[in-house]
Structures are given as C-alpha cells and as structure tokens.
Amino acid sequence: MRRTVLAGLSICVLLAACGRAVEARYQLSFNTTDTGRLTELSLAVTRIVERRLQSMGEEVRNLDVTQTSGGPELSFKIETQAAADLLREDLIEPFKLSIMRAVKPGETPQLEVEAHGGFIDTGVSEEHLEWVLATEEPDNRGRISLQFTEEGRELMRKVFKQNVGKQIGLFVRGRLIAKLQVDTAELKDDIIITGIPSSELARVFADDVNVGLHVTFTPLP
C-alpha cells in the first residue's frame, strides 16, 4: 500500500509540474494610426514572439494580441521563467538602426567590422526610416524596400551624392545587416536590397524592423 501511495504522489507531482506555465502580458503602444499598418504590426508582433521563443527551444501557448480597455495587449504562456525574462529584455530594448558609410583613406572609423572594414555614421537613423516592405523575387529569393521619411530621403540623397563608388552599411542593433554599393549620385524614393537568400528571411527582417520602429512593449504585472 505504501508503495502505491508513493507512486501516486510522484504522478501527481509530475502532472503538476507539467501543468505549470509562465504567463506574460505586455501593453502595446503603436506610433502610427494607419489601420493597414496597425493590423500588419499586430501580426508581426506575434510572429516575432513565436520565432524568438522557438529559437530558445520554448513552446508558446495562447499567443494573441487583443483589444482591452487600456489598449492593445499582448499575452502568451511559456514553460520557463528564464525564457520569459530573456524575451522581456529583448522586447523592451530600445530599437537602434543606422546607415553608415565606409571610411575613406586617412579617416578614423567609428566602428570596425571584421572582414568588412571601418565605417562612419552618416546621421541616418531609425528616426528616418518609415517602413520596410518584404517581397519575393522570381527566383524565390527575398527583396526588401527601405521606405524613408521625407527628412530621411533628403539625408540619403546627400549620402549618395557624397559617396558614389563607395559602400554604405545598414546596421540594426549595432550589427551589420547589409552592404550596398553606391553606383549613382541620384537616389530614388526607396532603397531596394535584392538577392536575400530567401523570401522568408526578408519577411523576418521586415517584421523585426517595422515592429522596432513602431511598437513599444510595456510589461504588465
């Protein structure tokens, strides 16, 4: 009888452990009123959370963005507090983006990237980027369009005019994401980056940047 009770207790403990989950809630603040973009940003938020938790080996449950009396709210459940804490740090970290140009002879770089050389800031930052559009090319590769604000376009026109024949780098959160050769002094409204290995990778990048530009996460108790 004693052995049976112990086995029963063990099963109960295991079941209780399996049933526990960490619930996380965030208030979402959007800095755009465009209804189409609001819908796309809400979907992008859920995709980002799911991808980042999957990269930690975590399974997410009940992931949703809902409208509450206090505004839009993100909620989900995961198994471990450690993953919840890591994701929280990730989501609340201020988003940083910059366009930097390759150094010219005799200049001292502000940032050096192994195998890519030194770079100097152009003054173009996340404040000057409005939206990133991801599309698929005929060969199934990805393509992204960087759409700038009017002030951002003016700054980028100066960057292009002053750096013909040189390279500029796109940095997100301090990491070099792409390098572009400036082949003309004239800049169209958007910067197009082609040849991304897959359309899915392009969509992941667009989600990350668009949410970083337009969404603020505030943890809720």
Side-chain angles (χ1 to χ4, degrees), residues 151-188:
E151 182 182 2
R153 291 190 189 103
E154 287 301 317
L155 289 172
M156 287 304 301
R157 289 187 183 105
K158 293 179 181 178
V159 171
F160 268 52
K161 186 175 182 180
Q162 297 169 359
N163 292 278
V164 176
K166 304 294 183 180
Q167 289 188 325
I168 59 175
L170 171 63
F171 289 79
V172 177
R173 297 188 177 90
R175 296 178 58 190
L176 178 62
I177 301 300
K179 284 198 308 183
L180 305 172
Q181 181 78 22
V182 180
D183 294 323
T184 174
E186 298 297 325
L187 172 68
K188 296 182 179 180

PDB file of all heavy atoms in Angstrom, residues 151-188:
ATOM      1  N   GLU A 151      12.473  63.614 -44.461  1.00  0.00           N
ATOM      2  CA  GLU A 151      13.783  64.040 -43.953  1.00  0.00           C
ATOM      3  C   GLU A 151      14.832  62.974 -44.219  1.00  0.00           C
ATOM      4  O   GLU A 151      15.976  63.280 -44.590  1.00  0.00           O
ATOM      5  CB  GLU A 151      13.704  64.317 -42.452  1.00  0.00           C
ATOM      6  CG  GLU A 151      15.025  64.810 -41.852  1.00  0.00           C
ATOM      7  CD  GLU A 151      14.943  65.023 -40.359  1.00  0.00           C
ATOM      8  OE1 GLU A 151      13.886  64.752 -39.760  1.00  0.00           O
ATOM      9  OE2 GLU A 151      15.959  65.456 -39.772  1.00  0.00           O
ATOM     10  N   GLY A 152      14.437  61.719 -44.061  1.00  0.00           N
ATOM     11  CA  GLY A 152      15.364  60.626 -44.325  1.00  0.00           C
ATOM     12  C   GLY A 152      15.794  60.574 -45.779  1.00  0.00           C
ATOM     13  O   GLY A 152      16.963  60.313 -46.082  1.00  0.00           O
ATOM     14  N   ARG A 153      14.869  60.839 -46.695  1.00  0.00           N
ATOM     15  CA  ARG A 153      15.213  60.848 -48.121  1.00  0.00           C
ATOM     16  C   ARG A 153      16.228  61.935 -48.433  1.00  0.00           C
ATOM     17  O   ARG A 153      17.163  61.737 -49.212  1.00  0.00           O
ATOM     18  CB  ARG A 153      13.948  61.048 -48.971  1.00  0.00           C
ATOM     19  CG  ARG A 153      12.992  59.860 -48.944  1.00  0.00           C
ATOM     20  CD  ARG A 153      11.895  60.036 -49.985  1.00  0.00           C
ATOM     21  NE  ARG A 153      10.870  59.017 -49.830  1.00  0.00           N
ATOM     22  CZ  ARG A 153       9.692  59.205 -49.284  1.00  0.00           C
ATOM     23  NH1 ARG A 153       9.376  60.405 -48.802  1.00  0.00           N
ATOM     24  NH2 ARG A 153       8.817  58.224 -49.199  1.00  0.00           N
ATOM     25  N   GLU A 154      16.028  63.108 -47.832  1.00  0.00           N
ATOM     26  CA  GLU A 154      16.968  64.211 -48.068  1.00  0.00           C
ATOM     27  C   GLU A 154      18.362  63.843 -47.559  1.00  0.00           C
ATOM     28  O   GLU A 154      19.370  64.109 -48.228  1.00  0.00           O
ATOM     29  CB  GLU A 154      16.465  65.485 -47.387  1.00  0.00           C
ATOM     30  CG  GLU A 154      15.275  66.122 -48.069  1.00  0.00           C
ATOM     31  CD  GLU A 154      15.573  66.494 -49.520  1.00  0.00           C
ATOM     32  OE1 GLU A 154      16.680  67.027 -49.780  1.00  0.00           O
ATOM     33  OE2 GLU A 154      14.720  66.247 -50.382  1.00  0.00           O
ATOM     34  N   LEU A 155      18.423  63.255 -46.386  1.00  0.00           N
ATOM     35  CA  LEU A 155      19.718  62.843 -45.851  1.00  0.00           C
ATOM     36  C   LEU A 155      20.358  61.767 -46.724  1.00  0.00           C
ATOM     37  O   LEU A 155      21.569  61.789 -46.984  1.00  0.00           O
ATOM     38  CB  LEU A 155      19.548  62.321 -44.416  1.00  0.00           C
ATOM     39  CG  LEU A 155      19.225  63.365 -43.350  1.00  0.00           C
ATOM     40  CD1 LEU A 155      18.902  62.681 -42.019  1.00  0.00           C
ATOM     41  CD2 LEU A 155      20.399  64.330 -43.177  1.00  0.00           C
ATOM     42  N   MET A 156      19.543  60.801 -47.187  1.00  0.00           N
ATOM     43  CA  MET A 156      20.086  59.726 -48.013  1.00  0.00           C
ATOM     44  C   MET A 156      20.554  60.253 -49.365  1.00  0.00           C
ATOM     45  O   MET A 156      21.529  59.747 -49.932  1.00  0.00           O
ATOM     46  CB  MET A 156      19.044  58.624 -48.202  1.00  0.00           C
ATOM     47  CG  MET A 156      18.806  57.763 -46.960  1.00  0.00           C
ATOM     48  SD  MET A 156      20.327  56.986 -46.329  1.00  0.00           S
ATOM     49  CE  MET A 156      20.865  56.031 -47.750  1.00  0.00           C
ATOM     50  N   ARG A 157      19.888  61.262 -49.889  1.00  0.00           N
ATOM     51  CA  ARG A 157      20.339  61.865 -51.153  1.00  0.00           C
ATOM     52  C   ARG A 157      21.738  62.454 -50.981  1.00  0.00           C
ATOM     53  O   ARG A 157      22.599  62.335 -51.859  1.00  0.00           O
ATOM     54  CB  ARG A 157      19.352  62.937 -51.616  1.00  0.00           C
ATOM     55  CG  ARG A 157      18.030  62.369 -52.118  1.00  0.00           C
ATOM     56  CD  ARG A 157      17.145  63.462 -52.727  1.00  0.00           C
ATOM     57  NE  ARG A 157      15.861  62.891 -53.132  1.00  0.00           N
ATOM     58  CZ  ARG A 157      14.716  63.065 -52.487  1.00  0.00           C
ATOM     59  NH1 ARG A 157      14.683  63.827 -51.389  1.00  0.00           N
ATOM     60  NH2 ARG A 157      13.602  62.515 -52.917  1.00  0.00           N
ATOM     61  N   LYS A 158      21.984  63.092 -49.832  1.00  0.00           N
ATOM     62  CA  LYS A 158      23.318  63.641 -49.557  1.00  0.00           C
ATOM     63  C   LYS A 158      24.346  62.523 -49.414  1.00  0.00           C
ATOM     64  O   LYS A 158      25.469  62.632 -49.895  1.00  0.00           O
ATOM     65  CB  LYS A 158      23.277  64.478 -48.283  1.00  0.00           C
ATOM     66  CG  LYS A 158      22.455  65.750 -48.403  1.00  0.00           C
ATOM     67  CD  LYS A 158      22.440  66.518 -47.089  1.00  0.00           C
ATOM     68  CE  LYS A 158      21.586  67.771 -47.205  1.00  0.00           C
ATOM     69  NZ  LYS A 158      21.520  68.524 -45.913  1.00  0.00           N
ATOM     70  N   VAL A 159      23.938  61.438 -48.729  1.00  0.00           N
ATOM     71  CA  VAL A 159      24.841  60.296 -48.560  1.00  0.00           C
ATOM     72  C   VAL A 159      25.231  59.724 -49.917  1.00  0.00           C
ATOM     73  O   VAL A 159      26.411  59.448 -50.173  1.00  0.00           O
ATOM     74  CB  VAL A 159      24.176  59.212 -47.683  1.00  0.00           C
ATOM     75  CG1 VAL A 159      25.014  57.932 -47.687  1.00  0.00           C
ATOM     76  CG2 VAL A 159      23.999  59.709 -46.259  1.00  0.00           C
ATOM     77  N   PHE A 160      24.259  59.547 -50.798  1.00  0.00           N
ATOM     78  CA  PHE A 160      24.547  59.000 -52.125  1.00  0.00           C
ATOM     79  C   PHE A 160      25.444  59.948 -52.918  1.00  0.00           C
ATOM     80  O   PHE A 160      26.416  59.523 -53.555  1.00  0.00           O
ATOM     81  CB  PHE A 160      23.238  58.757 -52.886  1.00  0.00           C
ATOM     82  CG  PHE A 160      22.692  57.365 -52.704  1.00  0.00           C
ATOM     83  CD1 PHE A 160      22.512  56.838 -51.432  1.00  0.00           C
ATOM     84  CD2 PHE A 160      22.362  56.586 -53.790  1.00  0.00           C
ATOM     85  CE1 PHE A 160      22.012  55.563 -51.254  1.00  0.00           C
ATOM     86  CE2 PHE A 160      21.870  55.305 -53.629  1.00  0.00           C
ATOM     87  CZ  PHE A 160      21.697  54.784 -52.359  1.00  0.00           C
ATOM     88  N   LYS A 161      25.120  61.236 -52.886  1.00  0.00           N
ATOM     89  CA  LYS A 161      25.883  62.211 -53.661  1.00  0.00           C
ATOM     90  C   LYS A 161      27.336  62.259 -53.228  1.00  0.00           C
ATOM     91  O   LYS A 161      28.244  62.436 -54.052  1.00  0.00           O
ATOM     92  CB  LYS A 161      25.242  63.592 -53.514  1.00  0.00           C
ATOM     93  CG  LYS A 161      25.859  64.663 -54.400  1.00  0.00           C
ATOM     94  CD  LYS A 161      25.083  65.971 -54.279  1.00  0.00           C
ATOM     95  CE  LYS A 161      25.666  67.032 -55.190  1.00  0.00           C
ATOM     96  NZ  LYS A 161      24.909  68.324 -55.087  1.00  0.00           N
ATOM     97  N   GLN A 162      27.590  62.086 -51.931  1.00  0.00           N
ATOM     98  CA  GLN A 162      28.948  62.202 -51.394  1.00  0.00           C
ATOM     99  C   GLN A 162      29.731  60.890 -51.405  1.00  0.00           C
ATOM    100  O   GLN A 162      30.910  60.882 -51.071  1.00  0.00           O
ATOM    101  CB  GLN A 162      28.881  62.745 -49.967  1.00  0.00           C
ATOM    102  CG  GLN A 162      28.303  64.153 -49.864  1.00  0.00           C
ATOM    103  CD  GLN A 162      28.005  64.567 -48.439  1.00  0.00           C
ATOM    104  OE1 GLN A 162      28.213  63.803 -47.495  1.00  0.00           O
ATOM    105  NE2 GLN A 162      27.496  65.784 -48.265  1.00  0.00           N
ATOM    106  N   ASN A 163      29.077  59.794 -51.781  1.00  0.00           N
ATOM    107  CA  ASN A 163      29.745  58.501 -51.664  1.00  0.00           C
ATOM    108  C   ASN A 163      29.613  57.628 -52.907  1.00  0.00           C
ATOM    109  O   ASN A 163      29.577  56.397 -52.812  1.00  0.00           O
ATOM    110  CB  ASN A 163      29.182  57.744 -50.449  1.00  0.00           C
ATOM    111  CG  ASN A 163      29.559  58.391 -49.139  1.00  0.00           C
ATOM    112  OD1 ASN A 163      30.655  58.184 -48.614  1.00  0.00           O
ATOM    113  ND2 ASN A 163      28.647  59.189 -48.605  1.00  0.00           N
ATOM    114  N   VAL A 164      29.570  58.251 -54.071  1.00  0.00           N
ATOM    115  CA  VAL A 164      29.495  57.488 -55.316  1.00  0.00           C
ATOM    116  C   VAL A 164      30.735  56.598 -55.442  1.00  0.00           C
ATOM    117  O   VAL A 164      31.871  57.043 -55.244  1.00  0.00           O
ATOM    118  CB  VAL A 164      29.382  58.425 -56.532  1.00  0.00           C
ATOM    119  CG1 VAL A 164      29.399  57.615 -57.827  1.00  0.00           C
ATOM    120  CG2 VAL A 164      28.124  59.262 -56.442  1.00  0.00           C
ATOM    121  N   GLY A 165      30.510  55.333 -55.737  1.00  0.00           N
ATOM    122  CA  GLY A 165      31.613  54.390 -55.853  1.00  0.00           C
ATOM    123  C   GLY A 165      32.032  53.763 -54.538  1.00  0.00           C
ATOM    124  O   GLY A 165      32.865  52.864 -54.506  1.00  0.00           O
ATOM    125  N   LYS A 166      31.434  54.228 -53.450  1.00  0.00           N
ATOM    126  CA  LYS A 166      31.754  53.699 -52.125  1.00  0.00           C
ATOM    127  C   LYS A 166      30.632  52.789 -51.632  1.00  0.00           C
ATOM    128  O   LYS A 166      29.594  52.645 -52.271  1.00  0.00           O
ATOM    129  CB  LYS A 166      31.962  54.846 -51.131  1.00  0.00           C
ATOM    130  CG  LYS A 166      33.013  55.854 -51.552  1.00  0.00           C
ATOM    131  CD  LYS A 166      34.400  55.248 -51.591  1.00  0.00           C
ATOM    132  CE  LYS A 166      35.436  56.296 -51.948  1.00  0.00           C
ATOM    133  NZ  LYS A 166      36.815  55.711 -51.981  1.00  0.00           N
ATOM    134  N   GLN A 167      30.840  52.204 -50.476  1.00  0.00           N
ATOM    135  CA  GLN A 167      29.837  51.331 -49.892  1.00  0.00           C
ATOM    136  C   GLN A 167      29.225  51.973 -48.652  1.00  0.00           C
ATOM    137  O   GLN A 167      29.886  52.705 -47.913  1.00  0.00           O
ATOM    138  CB  GLN A 167      30.450  49.976 -49.517  1.00  0.00           C
ATOM    139  CG  GLN A 167      30.797  49.109 -50.723  1.00  0.00           C
ATOM    140  CD  GLN A 167      31.213  47.716 -50.308  1.00  0.00           C
ATOM    141  OE1 GLN A 167      31.843  47.528 -49.277  1.00  0.00           O
ATOM    142  NE2 GLN A 167      30.879  46.720 -51.121  1.00  0.00           N
ATOM    143  N   ILE A 168      27.950  51.684 -48.456  1.00  0.00           N
ATOM    144  CA  ILE A 168      27.285  52.079 -47.216  1.00  0.00           C
ATOM    145  C   ILE A 168      26.760  50.816 -46.550  1.00  0.00           C
ATOM    146  O   ILE A 168      26.482  49.808 -47.212  1.00  0.00           O
ATOM    147  CB  ILE A 168      26.131  53.082 -47.454  1.00  0.00           C
ATOM    148  CG1 ILE A 168      25.074  52.493 -48.393  1.00  0.00           C
ATOM    149  CG2 ILE A 168      26.665  54.391 -47.993  1.00  0.00           C
ATOM    150  CD1 ILE A 168      23.856  53.379 -48.570  1.00  0.00           C
ATOM    151  N   GLY A 169      26.658  50.852 -45.231  1.00  0.00           N
ATOM    152  CA  GLY A 169      26.221  49.677 -44.486  1.00  0.00           C
ATOM    153  C   GLY A 169      24.946  49.957 -43.715  1.00  0.00           C
ATOM    154  O   GLY A 169      24.752  51.057 -43.183  1.00  0.00           O
ATOM    155  N   LEU A 170      24.074  48.972 -43.674  1.00  0.00           N
ATOM    156  CA  LEU A 170      22.858  49.035 -42.881  1.00  0.00           C
ATOM    157  C   LEU A 170      23.102  48.266 -41.593  1.00  0.00           C
ATOM    158  O   LEU A 170      23.353  47.059 -41.618  1.00  0.00           O
ATOM    159  CB  LEU A 170      21.684  48.429 -43.656  1.00  0.00           C
ATOM    160  CG  LEU A 170      20.366  48.228 -42.880  1.00  0.00           C
ATOM    161  CD1 LEU A 170      19.807  49.572 -42.422  1.00  0.00           C
ATOM    162  CD2 LEU A 170      19.352  47.480 -43.732  1.00  0.00           C
ATOM    163  N   PHE A 171      23.020  48.971 -40.465  1.00  0.00           N
ATOM    164  CA  PHE A 171      23.273  48.364 -39.158  1.00  0.00           C
ATOM    165  C   PHE A 171      21.973  48.354 -38.346  1.00  0.00           C
ATOM    166  O   PHE A 171      21.292  49.369 -38.229  1.00  0.00           O
ATOM    167  CB  PHE A 171      24.338  49.153 -38.390  1.00  0.00           C
ATOM    168  CG  PHE A 171      25.727  49.009 -38.949  1.00  0.00           C
ATOM    169  CD1 PHE A 171      26.116  49.723 -40.076  1.00  0.00           C
ATOM    170  CD2 PHE A 171      26.643  48.155 -38.345  1.00  0.00           C
ATOM    171  CE1 PHE A 171      27.400  49.592 -40.591  1.00  0.00           C
ATOM    172  CE2 PHE A 171      27.932  48.021 -38.857  1.00  0.00           C
ATOM    173  CZ  PHE A 171      28.304  48.737 -39.990  1.00  0.00           C
ATOM    174  N   VAL A 172      21.650  47.204 -37.790  1.00  0.00           N
ATOM    175  CA  VAL A 172      20.490  47.065 -36.918  1.00  0.00           C
ATOM    176  C   VAL A 172      20.979  46.512 -35.583  1.00  0.00           C
ATOM    177  O   VAL A 172      21.637  45.476 -35.538  1.00  0.00           O
ATOM    178  CB  VAL A 172      19.431  46.125 -37.523  1.00  0.00           C
ATOM    179  CG1 VAL A 172      18.264  45.927 -36.554  1.00  0.00           C
ATOM    180  CG2 VAL A 172      18.912  46.697 -38.846  1.00  0.00           C
ATOM    181  N   ARG A 173      20.677  47.247 -34.513  1.00  0.00           N
ATOM    182  CA  ARG A 173      21.140  46.892 -33.163  1.00  0.00           C
ATOM    183  C   ARG A 173      22.664  46.695 -33.133  1.00  0.00           C
ATOM    184  O   ARG A 173      23.186  45.803 -32.487  1.00  0.00           O
ATOM    185  CB  ARG A 173      20.425  45.642 -32.660  1.00  0.00           C
ATOM    186  CG  ARG A 173      18.924  45.823 -32.501  1.00  0.00           C
ATOM    187  CD  ARG A 173      18.297  44.606 -31.823  1.00  0.00           C
ATOM    188  NE  ARG A 173      16.868  44.814 -31.618  1.00  0.00           N
ATOM    189  CZ  ARG A 173      15.931  44.477 -32.488  1.00  0.00           C
ATOM    190  NH1 ARG A 173      16.288  43.894 -33.635  1.00  0.00           N
ATOM    191  NH2 ARG A 173      14.656  44.690 -32.250  1.00  0.00           N
ATOM    192  N   GLY A 174      23.361  47.552 -33.872  1.00  0.00           N
ATOM    193  CA  GLY A 174      24.814  47.528 -33.873  1.00  0.00           C
ATOM    194  C   GLY A 174      25.445  46.471 -34.751  1.00  0.00           C
ATOM    195  O   GLY A 174      26.674  46.386 -34.828  1.00  0.00           O
ATOM    196  N   ARG A 175      24.631  45.687 -35.446  1.00  0.00           N
ATOM    197  CA  ARG A 175      25.162  44.611 -36.300  1.00  0.00           C
ATOM    198  C   ARG A 175      24.992  44.968 -37.769  1.00  0.00           C
ATOM    199  O   ARG A 175      23.944  45.480 -38.178  1.00  0.00           O
ATOM    200  CB  ARG A 175      24.444  43.290 -36.013  1.00  0.00           C
ATOM    201  CG  ARG A 175      24.650  42.765 -34.606  1.00  0.00           C
ATOM    202  CD  ARG A 175      23.857  41.492 -34.398  1.00  0.00           C
ATOM    203  NE  ARG A 175      24.219  40.465 -35.366  1.00  0.00           N
ATOM    204  CZ  ARG A 175      23.539  39.330 -35.518  1.00  0.00           C
ATOM    205  NH1 ARG A 175      22.465  39.091 -34.777  1.00  0.00           N
ATOM    206  NH2 ARG A 175      23.938  38.449 -36.409  1.00  0.00           N
ATOM    207  N   LEU A 176      26.027  44.692 -38.559  1.00  0.00           N
ATOM    208  CA  LEU A 176      25.966  44.935 -39.997  1.00  0.00           C
ATOM    209  C   LEU A 176      25.030  43.919 -40.637  1.00  0.00           C
ATOM    210  O   LEU A 176      25.270  42.718 -40.596  1.00  0.00           O
ATOM    211  CB  LEU A 176      27.362  44.837 -40.607  1.00  0.00           C
ATOM    212  CG  LEU A 176      27.449  45.030 -42.122  1.00  0.00           C
ATOM    213  CD1 LEU A 176      26.980  46.424 -42.526  1.00  0.00           C
ATOM    214  CD2 LEU A 176      28.883  44.787 -42.610  1.00  0.00           C
ATOM    215  N   ILE A 177      23.949  44.405 -41.245  1.00  0.00           N
ATOM    216  CA  ILE A 177      22.956  43.538 -41.859  1.00  0.00           C
ATOM    217  C   ILE A 177      23.141  43.444 -43.367  1.00  0.00           C
ATOM    218  O   ILE A 177      22.948  42.390 -43.975  1.00  0.00           O
ATOM    219  CB  ILE A 177      21.530  44.038 -41.545  1.00  0.00           C
ATOM    220  CG1 ILE A 177      21.310  44.078 -40.032  1.00  0.00           C
ATOM    221  CG2 ILE A 177      20.475  43.161 -42.213  1.00  0.00           C
ATOM    222  CD1 ILE A 177      21.460  42.726 -39.354  1.00  0.00           C
ATOM    223  N   ALA A 178      23.505  44.577 -43.995  1.00  0.00           N
ATOM    224  CA  ALA A 178      23.678  44.580 -45.445  1.00  0.00           C
ATOM    225  C   ALA A 178      24.645  45.692 -45.843  1.00  0.00           C
ATOM    226  O   ALA A 178      24.746  46.716 -45.171  1.00  0.00           O
ATOM    227  CB  ALA A 178      22.338  44.781 -46.141  1.00  0.00           C
ATOM    228  N   LYS A 179      25.357  45.461 -46.949  1.00  0.00           N
ATOM    229  CA  LYS A 179      26.216  46.490 -47.532  1.00  0.00           C
ATOM    230  C   LYS A 179      25.715  46.788 -48.945  1.00  0.00           C
ATOM    231  O   LYS A 179      25.343  45.881 -49.685  1.00  0.00           O
ATOM    232  CB  LYS A 179      27.678  46.013 -47.601  1.00  0.00           C
ATOM    233  CG  LYS A 179      28.393  46.042 -46.291  1.00  0.00           C
ATOM    234  CD  LYS A 179      29.908  46.006 -46.454  1.00  0.00           C
ATOM    235  CE  LYS A 179      30.388  44.872 -47.325  1.00  0.00           C
ATOM    236  NZ  LYS A 179      31.876  44.829 -47.390  1.00  0.00           N
ATOM    237  N   LEU A 180      25.734  48.076 -49.296  1.00  0.00           N
ATOM    238  CA  LEU A 180      25.265  48.493 -50.608  1.00  0.00           C
ATOM    239  C   LEU A 180      26.343  49.304 -51.311  1.00  0.00           C
ATOM    240  O   LEU A 180      27.001  50.144 -50.690  1.00  0.00           O
ATOM    241  CB  LEU A 180      24.006  49.352 -50.485  1.00  0.00           C
ATOM    242  CG  LEU A 180      22.821  48.763 -49.713  1.00  0.00           C
ATOM    243  CD1 LEU A 180      21.748  49.817 -49.537  1.00  0.00           C
ATOM    244  CD2 LEU A 180      22.272  47.563 -50.438  1.00  0.00           C
ATOM    245  N   GLN A 181      26.507  49.063 -52.592  1.00  0.00           N
ATOM    246  CA  GLN A 181      27.411  49.857 -53.401  1.00  0.00           C
ATOM    247  C   GLN A 181      26.646  51.056 -53.944  1.00  0.00           C
ATOM    248  O   GLN A 181      25.580  50.897 -54.555  1.00  0.00           O
ATOM    249  CB  GLN A 181      27.950  49.017 -54.565  1.00  0.00           C
ATOM    250  CG  GLN A 181      28.925  49.744 -55.467  1.00  0.00           C
ATOM    251  CD  GLN A 181      30.321  49.852 -54.857  1.00  0.00           C
ATOM    252  OE1 GLN A 181      30.670  49.065 -53.980  1.00  0.00           O
ATOM    253  NE2 GLN A 181      31.104  50.806 -55.332  1.00  0.00           N
ATOM    254  N   VAL A 182      27.172  52.262 -53.725  1.00  0.00           N
ATOM    255  CA  VAL A 182      26.535  53.468 -54.243  1.00  0.00           C
ATOM    256  C   VAL A 182      27.011  53.673 -55.681  1.00  0.00           C
ATOM    257  O   VAL A 182      28.136  54.099 -55.921  1.00  0.00           O
ATOM    258  CB  VAL A 182      26.868  54.697 -53.378  1.00  0.00           C
ATOM    259  CG1 VAL A 182      26.187  55.944 -53.944  1.00  0.00           C
ATOM    260  CG2 VAL A 182      26.437  54.469 -51.935  1.00  0.00           C
ATOM    261  N   ASP A 183      26.136  53.351 -56.620  1.00  0.00           N
ATOM    262  CA  ASP A 183      26.516  53.413 -58.034  1.00  0.00           C
ATOM    263  C   ASP A 183      26.086  54.705 -58.712  1.00  0.00           C
ATOM    264  O   ASP A 183      26.464  54.973 -59.842  1.00  0.00           O
ATOM    265  CB  ASP A 183      25.902  52.229 -58.789  1.00  0.00           C
ATOM    266  CG  ASP A 183      26.487  50.900 -58.328  1.00  0.00           C
ATOM    267  OD1 ASP A 183      27.700  50.862 -58.048  1.00  0.00           O
ATOM    268  OD2 ASP A 183      25.732  49.919 -58.238  1.00  0.00           O
ATOM    269  N   THR A 184      25.254  55.494 -58.049  1.00  0.00           N
ATOM    270  CA  THR A 184      24.753  56.718 -58.654  1.00  0.00           C
ATOM    271  C   THR A 184      24.588  57.795 -57.581  1.00  0.00           C
ATOM    272  O   THR A 184      24.354  57.486 -56.412  1.00  0.00           O
ATOM    273  CB  THR A 184      23.393  56.473 -59.333  1.00  0.00           C
ATOM    274  OG1 THR A 184      22.865  57.721 -59.799  1.00  0.00           O
ATOM    275  CG2 THR A 184      22.397  55.839 -58.362  1.00  0.00           C
ATOM    276  N   ALA A 185      24.701  59.042 -58.005  1.00  0.00           N
ATOM    277  CA  ALA A 185      24.515  60.152 -57.076  1.00  0.00           C
ATOM    278  C   ALA A 185      23.042  60.456 -56.875  1.00  0.00           C
ATOM    279  O   ALA A 185      22.676  61.215 -55.975  1.00  0.00           O
ATOM    280  CB  ALA A 185      25.237  61.397 -57.594  1.00  0.00           C
ATOM    281  N   GLU A 186      22.193  59.862 -57.712  1.00  0.00           N
ATOM    282  CA  GLU A 186      20.756  60.107 -57.627  1.00  0.00           C
ATOM    283  C   GLU A 186      20.081  59.004 -56.825  1.00  0.00           C
ATOM    284  O   GLU A 186      20.327  57.820 -57.052  1.00  0.00           O
ATOM    285  CB  GLU A 186      20.137  60.178 -59.030  1.00  0.00           C
ATOM    286  CG  GLU A 186      20.679  61.309 -59.883  1.00  0.00           C
ATOM    287  CD  GLU A 186      20.368  62.682 -59.314  1.00  0.00           C
ATOM    288  OE1 GLU A 186      19.280  62.832 -58.719  1.00  0.00           O
ATOM    289  OE2 GLU A 186      21.206  63.580 -59.452  1.00  0.00           O
ATOM    290  N   LEU A 187      19.242  59.385 -55.887  1.00  0.00           N
ATOM    291  CA  LEU A 187      18.517  58.418 -55.067  1.00  0.00           C
ATOM    292  C   LEU A 187      17.034  58.474 -55.374  1.00  0.00           C
ATOM    293  O   LEU A 187      16.425  59.536 -55.358  1.00  0.00           O
ATOM    294  CB  LEU A 187      18.723  58.718 -53.570  1.00  0.00           C
ATOM    295  CG  LEU A 187      17.875  57.893 -52.596  1.00  0.00           C
ATOM    296  CD1 LEU A 187      18.312  56.432 -52.611  1.00  0.00           C
ATOM    297  CD2 LEU A 187      17.954  58.458 -51.195  1.00  0.00           C
ATOM    298  N   LYS A 188      16.462  57.308 -55.663  1.00  0.00           N
ATOM    299  CA  LYS A 188      15.006  57.235 -55.808  1.00  0.00           C
ATOM    300  C   LYS A 188      14.398  57.257 -54.403  1.00  0.00           C
ATOM    301  O   LYS A 188      15.086  57.289 -53.399  1.00  0.00           O
ATOM    302  CB  LYS A 188      14.630  55.962 -56.554  1.00  0.00           C
ATOM    303  CG  LYS A 188      15.145  55.930 -57.992  1.00  0.00           C
ATOM    304  CD  LYS A 188      14.711  54.658 -58.702  1.00  0.00           C
ATOM    305  CE  LYS A 188      15.220  54.652 -60.131  1.00  0.00           C
ATOM    306  NZ  LYS A 188      14.826  53.426 -60.862  1.00  0.00           N
TER     307      LYS A 188
END
